[in-house]
Amino acid sequence: MRYSEQFMERVECSFAAFCKVVLRNAAISAYRDLGRKQKREVSLDYLMSETSFEPFITDNYFEQYDKPTIFVVKGQEIIIASERLADALLKLPEQRRTVLLMYFFLGYTDTEVGNEYGRSRSTANYWKHAALKQLRKEWLKSEHEEQEADTL
């Protein structure tokens, strides 16, 4: 089916008019949003001139690294920067803590951990999973205690 040239021209003009209306409305919305934003915002220069002190902020991200906990396993020092993790590890029995530290920080395999204790690989694997389970419990308990302390 062939459309006449006049009809095609009319369609193009209608589409061009539609596009112009859409762009105009989008520009009006953007201009209106910018105006609203400018009404709420205050210039930093204005704030600086109104205060008698130099504003600053202290980043407390590195505060957690001020008190690292050191564990000694097989003559090697393992430094735990997270106080919460160190507390959870300290609540574990010595053997479970040692197994976890050997596995995750010293890179021992289940077989090597089993050989250290004169046990099989599967026993060392069981110890590791039991220690992780207990560590998870201690971690969640400390998280719950922190939340309670924050609400008080």
Side-chain angles (χ1 to χ4, degrees):
M1 174 175 224
R2 300 258 323 159
Y3 295 109
S4 68
E5 192 176 309
Q6 194 175 28
F7 176 75
M8 292 300 291
E9 192 175 307
R10 179 171 165 77
V11 169
E12 284 181 23
C13 286
S14 296
F15 182 70
F18 171 75
C19 288
K20 288 177 185 176
V21 169
V22 169
L23 288 173
R24 179 178 172 270
N25 289 338
I28 289 170
S29 293
Y31 183 72
R32 188 180 307 129
D33 291 343
L34 184 63
R36 285 185 194 134
K37 187 177 175 183
Q38 286 176 345
K39 283 181 185 178
R40 288 188 307 250
E41 289 181 349
V42 178
S43 169
L44 184 60
D45 294 331
Y46 173 75
L47 289 175
M48 295 295 287
S49 67
E50 293 294 316
T51 59
S52 59
F53 60 90
E54 188 70 26
F56 67 93
I57 187 165
T58 304
D59 189 8
N60 61 2
Y61 176 76
F62 293 104
E63 286 180 6
Q64 65 179 337
Y65 298 111
D66 290 346
K67 304 171 195 167
T69 305
I70 299 173
F71 294 98
V72 179
V73 177
K74 302 293 178 196
Q76 295 183 351
E77 289 186 351
I78 299 171
I79 300 171
I80 305 292
S82 170
E83 187 176 336
R84 190 168 157 201
L85 177 60
D87 288 342
L89 282 169
L90 285 170
K91 291 178 183 175
L92 295 178
E94 180 69 28
Q95 181 197 22
R96 288 186 175 184
R97 178 176 50 241
T98 304
V99 167
L100 283 180
L101 293 173
M102 287 171 64
Y103 184 76
F104 288 106
F105 290 93
L106 300 180
Y108 280 53
T109 63
D110 291 337
T111 304
E112 292 170 336
V113 172
N115 290 341
E116 285 288 327
Y117 286 98
R119 305 289 183 181
S120 68
R121 178 203 57 81
S122 60
T123 302
N125 188 32
Y126 172 77
W127 287 348
K128 177 181 67 178
H129 285 287
L132 282 173
K133 189 175 182 180
Q134 187 176 356
L135 181 67
R136 184 178 300 119
K137 251 187 222 180
E138 295 297 336
W139 182 271
L140 293 174
K141 190 186 301 182
S142 69
E143 182 179 34
H144 181 68
E145 289 170 359
E146 282 181 11
Q147 288 176 351
E148 282 184 356
D150 288 343
T151 58
L152 296 178

